[in-house]
Amino acid sequence: MEKCGLGILTEPETVKLNVRLDTLWNPSRGGSNSSRKCEGSVFTKRSKILVTARAEKVASNMRSKVHLLRELRGDECLNVFEKHALKDDDLELNDDLKEIGRRIVEKCKGLPLALKTIGSLLRTKSSISYWKSVLENDIWDLPKEVKIIPALLLSYQHLPSHLKRCFAYCALFPKDREFDKKELILLWMAEGFLHHSQQINNVEEIGEQYFEDLLMRLKFDKGNCIPKTTRHFSFAFDDFLRVLSLNAYSELREVPDSVGDLKHLHSLDLSRTGIQKLPDSTCLLYNLLILKLNYCSRLEELPSNLHKLTKLCFLEFKNTKVTEMPMRFGELKNLQVLSPVFVNKNNEFNIKHLGGLNLHGRLSINEVQNIVNPLDALEANLKNKDLVELELKWESDHIPDDPRKEKKVLENLQPSKIVEYLSIENYGGTKFPSWVFDNSLSNLVSLRLEDCKYCLCLPPLGLLSSLKTLKIIGLDGIVSIGDEFYGNSSSSFTSLESLEFSR
């Protein structure tokens, strides 16, 4: 902490107050002398506001009294450093590391951010030689005109090469951008930054690992993206473009044919736009990995030649008017994330084609009532796919002609034991198959049963040991709930946190 605008903090990060300076009460602006509402709080004449800043001019702009904070003292510095350098199972550093750490702390010159950053870097390394190399690094001797804190630059230089690229990529975004982890991982995927390892083949899992590694080493602050006051915004790009996102650009009604010229495009996000269809030229994007069309409320169909996007591994078009899959859809062998998929009686695509896809992550299957042969559901092979989220939906006005067939279809759509979120909607059977409640779903944390109006009794859901959230909605056939719901066990619903019954 170098300089601050107002007040004194006696310990690092004792107070963290975010205030928009331009909205604070100021007599020159007029308004009530007694109080002024700002950011959800009420400031009266006796209120005191503490503002910390590195630049002294912030205090002069506020016309306020200035207090210069002292640097943290030796013991305080060492405490901050050790807090971040110690691994979870360590109580203290050994003597050798403590001595090197003490000398590194001296180079941080009492700055908490430097202490936290360098401590987090060394947390992942325990060799004395590595700590010595950090201590003796030339970066500590940067000239004064360089405005970067040496500890921050050092933490970047010591990132593994695969994390350096991912971290540097974040510099493309505005300062204080709030990141969505899943979105950022998809962008890294589109740029080819995520590489398979012998231990992990799932690209999204690799991205999660990269993200967690960076989060452990660096400090991420939350903030906003483009200010609401922005009225004009433009950007230029050339044919080497890898990622194009027009998410929430509601004025977009039509995608030009020229989109097919972006041969290097890896990710295309047109979610929440006003498009009705995609041009056929979209299917010329042979390098496309990710296609997102969620909440395009006017979108009626997918391109008929979608099967030509042979590298496509992520496809989502939730909450659109699309009701069937395009011809030869089963040829997209690299698809890993798909939501939703529609089962249609008169379409070439059959539910069994899912068996040839390496699906993982999330999957939503709609129009399940159109599965004529339960064996086709078995060939979808969901039991051997690493699905974390699964939605199964029958048509809302569906009247089952054979409840036994309905149960057999659901039985054959059993997901793997790693599934955590499961939703079953408009199921037409009178009973649920055993995998819904037995130890097959030992990792299930959320279950939603909605409008399964032909079910006559609830399964023993109390046996689901990891279940935290349970929602039961519109099960008209249930007239009473007895011991069978708990599973007649002394340890029923051991993890349950939220239970909801409605309709």
Side-chain angles (χ1 to χ4, degrees), residues 246-449:
L246 295 171
N247 189 323
Y249 183 47
S250 57
E251 298 302 313
L252 181 66
R253 305 289 189 197
E254 184 177 350
V255 179
D257 287 335
S258 58
V259 71
D261 296 334
L262 302 175
K263 303 298 184 184
H264 299 276
L265 200 64
H266 284 183
S267 176
L268 177 61
D269 187 355
L270 299 172
S271 300
R272 294 178 173 85
T273 60
I275 62 172
Q276 287 184 291
K277 64 176 184 177
L278 285 173
D280 291 338
S281 61
T282 307
C283 301
L284 299 176
L285 301 174
Y286 300 121
N287 291 302
L288 198 66
L289 304 175
I290 299 162
L291 179 59
K292 303 185 74 172
L293 304 164
N294 296 321
Y295 302 98
C296 292
S297 57
R298 301 177 55 179
L299 184 67
E300 297 179 348
E301 62 180 2
L302 298 175
S304 58
N305 289 325
L306 195 69
H307 64 277
K308 292 184 177 180
L309 301 179
T310 55
K311 294 184 179 180
L312 198 65
C313 60
F314 187 107
L315 174 62
E316 281 193 339
F317 52 98
K318 295 180 291 189
N319 293 84
T320 67
K321 291 184 178 179
V322 176
T323 57
E324 62 179 47
M325 312 308 290
M327 301 289 283
R328 300 174 67 181
F329 185 82
E331 296 180 20
L332 295 175
K333 299 298 183 183
N334 286 312
L335 266 183
Q336 298 179 9
V337 175
L338 174 61
S339 183
V341 59
F342 288 88
V343 180
N344 194 299
K345 288 181 179 179
N346 303 316
N347 192 287
E348 182 187 85
F349 179 77
N350 191 295
I351 189 69
K352 64 183 179 182
H353 288 136
L354 294 181
L357 304 181
N358 183 28
L359 294 176
H360 70 266
R362 11 189 219 287
L363 174 65
S364 176
I365 303 178
N366 291 8
E367 312 288 349
V368 180
Q369 77 280 353
N370 288 329
I371 299 178
V372 178
N373 187 346
L375 292 177
D376 290 344
L378 188 63
E379 288 190 49
N381 197 26
L382 300 190
K383 191 174 181 179
N384 292 314
K385 299 188 186 302
D386 293 335
L387 296 173
V388 178
E389 301 177 28
L390 177 62
E391 283 186 337
L392 300 173
K393 295 182 181 181
W394 283 251
E395 182 62 43
S396 58
D397 58 0
H398 166 56
I399 300 176
D401 53 1
D402 185 356
R404 290 176 300 178
K405 190 205 85 170
E406 299 274 326
K407 182 186 176 186
K408 193 64 179 176
V409 167
L410 182 56
E411 191 174 293
N412 289 345
L413 290 175
Q414 176 180 351
S416 75
K417 64 181 181 181
I418 74 164
V419 72
E420 296 181 11
Y421 302 90
L422 175 64
S423 175
I424 300 175
E425 196 171 326
N426 299 311
Y427 167 57
T430 56
K431 294 176 64 177
F432 288 95
S434 61
W435 62 257
V436 174
F437 54 84
D438 65 16
N439 201 39
S440 300
L441 302 183
S442 56
N443 292 299
L444 192 69
V445 296
S446 176
L447 174 62
R448 178 186 181 94
L449 304 176

Side-chain angles (χ1 to χ4, degrees), residues 43-73:
F43 295 94
T44 67
K45 288 198 300 182
R46 298 180 61 85
S47 296
K48 293 183 179 179
I49 303 165
L50 178 69
V51 180
T52 60
R54 293 190 174 209
E56 195 170 332
K57 66 180 181 181
V58 173
S60 62
N61 290 340
M62 292 287 296
R63 303 176 190 174
S64 56
K65 189 175 181 180
V66 178
H67 293 275
L68 300 181
L69 291 182
R70 62 169 174 78
E71 295 174 350
L72 294 183
R73 295 192 178 97

